[in-house]
Amino acid sequence: MRLPLALVIAALGALPAAAADADGARWWSHVETLAGPQFEGRLTGTPGYDKAAAYAAGQFKAFGLKPAGTEGYLQPMKFTVQRVLAEGSSAALVVDGSEQPLRVGPDLLLGARIPQPKAIEAPLVFIGYGLHLPEVGYDDFAGQDLKGKIAVYVNGGPGDISAALKAHSRGSETWRAARAAGAVGLIALPTPKSMDVPWSRQMQSAGQPGMYPADEDLRELTGEAFSASFNPAEAEKLFAKSGHTFAEVLALADAAKPIKGFPLNLGLKAQVATEVGQVASANVVAKLPGSDPKLKAEHVVVTAHLDHLGVNTTGVGAPYYAGAMDNAAGVASVLEIAREMAAAKAAPKRSVLFVLVTGEEKGLLGSKYFAGKPSVPPASVVANLNMDMALPLWKFDSVLIYGIDESTMGDTAKAAAKAANLEVVADPYPDRNSFIRSDQYSFIRAGIPALSFKFGFTAGSDRAAIEKTWRAERYHALADDLSQPVEKAEAVKFDAFLGQLITDVANAPVTPRWKDDSFFKRFAR
């Protein structure tokens, strides 16, 4: 896929000025552009996204960075698109041979990221948290009879298991364990306290298409499998014949205590209507060559996701999802850091790749593709630093760093934070599974030490209240737009810290390595 970069860039207007940016005006100008109407919400596989990719490539070119994709600045890929049609789908609980209809939407939402079967009927079994972590002595799948059944699990996990490890055991890991046990589907039960987005808003966005790699060899899971999430406000329906209640389960989950599984003594019958198609999209890749004769062959990768949710098809509200904080802001940070590093008198010793990835909102698809099939020799990629929805909504005097305890790069980050007079805070919400929800996790799974960054806050603080309100009202909503209050000057301080950290990693005499006690060391190449 080749985009007419020169034509598109010319249509987008002049490049930001190169003057000092203490007030964040230049950083914000990127956010304004990327969250603007010409890009129509930057949905993967659409002309709006392609225009945004052309804009970013044009910026990299203007900074003097070299194209480092497989086609100039681009690394194209293809995806299969699956849209679940709620109006043509149905579901019911099968209780003592009788069907009790469920409402698609108010009761359950059907997944779109894995090929759905057209029809399914199977018994339901509750499996606690659905964690498969035999390495630390916890396995919700052990002793369960799941062959030909649908497994139901609640979000969370025991408090003595790290947030990173619990998060890692979600998603594809849960599916692998379920498949190995013979399950034909999964139903997720969110807990109210860990829900980022109210169920009513989840219903509104349920029509969003899911995507997965068009090439089956690149998929983590192949074949069909039923997937859904169940409204916790309606979840007692699932437990009515089990001798247990969802209230009991929630009490254990809220206390981060172990939960044993049990049969639910009822089944699920569903018909799933879908539309399936194909799209193409591309990562944007630019290179700042290193200065050391030997170390320049190694690459430090800096990422942010360029995609968002596209146009608003409800007919109510703004015509598109601007995605200003998620993640035009992160892309703007990468662009500004790239500009500063390219303009510096001395290049870092290692080469730095600036990679703006596609398909993050569809399951980290672009970063998985790059981490698995990088546009440079795979063994040359030694580190990843990721920027996603940092939320510059208050003073930047503390930083939250996912993955900080897993590799020596975390020690480098701690030293950089100390030098910048920043407090490093722990993940305040370990049951959000944040560790696996952005693109650094794709690199971790590929064996590459990786970190991701946000403005710091602690549970129960005023900043936590701001963050909670933002997620409830703006996260993946039309309100994540250019009218929201943003601390632009604090975003510049965030970029300065990250720019220094990237330079420190690129100049370190030893490449980052996994800590000996890190669970993720097993992925090392």
Side-chain angles (χ1 to χ4, degrees):
M1 181 179 68
R2 295 185 181 274
L3 298 175
L5 294 180
L7 293 177
V8 176
I9 294 164
L12 294 175
L15 299 173
D21 196 32
D23 62 354
R26 185 171 53 241
W27 172 82
W28 185 246
S29 73
H30 292 301
V31 179
E32 287 182 312
T33 300
L34 291 164
Q38 65 268 47
F39 300 139
E40 298 179 315
R42 310 186 306 279
L43 178 65
T44 298
T46 65
Y49 176 89
D50 290 348
K51 291 179 182 178
Y55 171 80
Q59 297 292 292
F60 287 142
K61 182 178 181 181
F63 302 156
L65 297 173
K66 296 182 178 299
T70 53
E71 296 185 10
Y73 288 98
L74 304 180
Q75 184 191 33
M77 62 207 74
K78 294 180 180 180
F79 302 119
T80 297
V81 181
Q82 176 178 238
R83 189 185 297 273
V84 173
L85 307 175
E87 63 276 11
S89 302
S90 63
L93 294 177
V94 181
V95 184
D96 297 330
S98 299
E99 294 184 16
Q100 296 182 2
L102 295 170
R103 299 165 296 171
V104 176
D107 290 330
L108 86 167
L109 298 173
L110 300 167
R113 292 184 178 179
I114 295 174
Q116 286 273 22
K118 293 181 179 179
I120 191 169
E121 183 170 2
L124 299 178
V125 178
F126 179 66
I127 59 168
Y129 294 113
L131 298 178
H132 177 64
L133 292 167
E135 300 89 347
V136 296
Y138 195 90
D139 188 0
D140 286 318
F141 290 86
Q144 297 277 12
D145 177 13
L146 294 178
K147 189 172 183 179
K149 299 175 183 179
I150 296 171
V152 179
Y153 67 93
V154 67
N155 188 48
D160 60 352
I161 301 176
S162 73
L165 207 49
K166 285 186 286 189
H168 166 72
S169 192
R170 295 288 176 217
S172 59
E173 292 298 315
T174 307
W175 275 109
R176 285 190 181 92
R179 282 281 182 83
V184 294
L186 287 173
I187 295 178
L189 281 171
T191 61
K193 79 171 189 178
S194 67
M195 288 173 63
D196 288 340
V197 178
W199 192 264
S200 58
R201 282 218 293 111
Q202 292 188 40
M203 287 173 55
Q204 292 174 6
S205 60
Q208 278 275 330
M211 295 184 188
Y212 41 87
D215 185 346
E216 284 199 15
D217 291 339
L218 299 178
R219 298 180 195 173
E220 293 184 328
L221 298 167
T222 58
E224 296 179 343
F226 179 80
S227 64
S229 57
F230 211 95
N231 185 351
E234 305 292 335
E236 291 293 0
K237 298 174 182 178
L238 296 174
F239 294 82
K241 302 290 289 185
S242 70
H244 301 269
T245 67
F246 185 53
E248 294 171 10
V249 169
L250 271 185
L252 292 170
D254 287 346
K257 294 182 178 180
I259 301 175
K260 292 184 178 180
F262 45 81
L264 291 172
N265 299 318
L266 45 74
L268 181 88
K269 183 178 182 180
Q271 303 283 330
V272 185
T274 62
E275 287 181 348
V276 177
Q278 303 285 323
V279 297
S281 193
N283 296 329
V284 185
V285 189
K287 180 176 179 176
L288 176 63
S291 58
D292 185 270
K294 292 184 178 179
L295 293 180
K296 68 180 181 181
E298 298 181 350
H299 295 88
V300 175
V301 178
V302 180
T303 50
H305 75 87
L306 182 59
D307 66 301
H308 195 52
L309 303 180
V311 299
N312 173 19
T313 60
T314 68
V316 179
Y320 67 99
Y321 290 87
M325 293 298 100
D326 184 19
N327 185 37
V331 173
S333 289
V334 171
L335 291 175
E336 280 302 288
I337 292 168
R339 185 190 61 78
E340 291 280 358
M341 293 187 70
K345 293 181 179 179
K349 293 180 180 180
R350 290 180 180 82
S351 298
V352 179
L353 289 181
F354 299 96
V355 184
L356 302 177
V357 296
T358 188
E360 189 271 353
E361 303 287 11
K362 305 304 179 185
L364 316 184
L365 298 181
S367 59
K368 287 178 183 176
Y369 190 91
F370 185 88
K373 299 180 65 174
S375 55
V376 296
S380 74
V381 178
V382 299
N384 169 245
L385 300 96
N386 182 56
M387 277 145 269
D388 182 10
M389 211 172 79
L391 295 184
L393 305 180
W394 51 77
K395 184 178 180 181
F396 184 58
D397 53 17
S398 65
V399 60
L400 171 58
I401 307 177
Y402 298 108
I404 193 169
D405 296 324
E406 307 300 333
S407 74
T408 56
M409 190 163 56
D411 299 331
T412 306
K414 290 176 184 177
K418 183 177 181 180
N421 199 28
L422 295 171
E423 179 187 6
V424 177
V425 300
D427 183 355
Y429 300 122
D431 288 342
R432 277 186 180 171
N433 303 317
S434 298
F435 182 76
I436 68 167
R437 289 174 58 181
S438 194
D439 294 298
Q440 83 288 340
Y441 183 62
S442 296
F443 290 86
I444 289 171
R445 288 297 303 268
I448 301 162
L451 302 173
S452 190
F453 307 84
K454 293 187 184 293
F455 275 52
F457 66 99
T458 55
S461 65
D462 290 344
R463 293 175 177 184
I466 294 171
E467 196 266 358
K468 183 177 180 180
T469 298
W470 188 92
R471 284 183 177 266
E473 297 179 357
R474 297 186 188 273
Y475 177 55
H476 284 190
L478 296 171
D480 182 13
D481 59 16
L482 295 169
S483 70
Q484 63 188 297
V486 176
E487 297 292 338
K488 303 178 183 66
E490 300 303 311
V492 174
K493 297 175 185 177
F494 174 82
D495 294 350
F497 162 69
L498 286 174
Q500 184 60 57
L501 176 56
I502 294 163
T503 301
D504 291 346
V505 173
N507 284 335
V510 179
T511 57
R513 60 174 177 80
W514 295 105
K515 295 286 185 70
D516 288 340
D517 60 352
S518 173
F519 175 89
F520 302 99
K521 184 180 179 181
R522 69 195 58 212
F523 296 123
R525 296 172 302 191

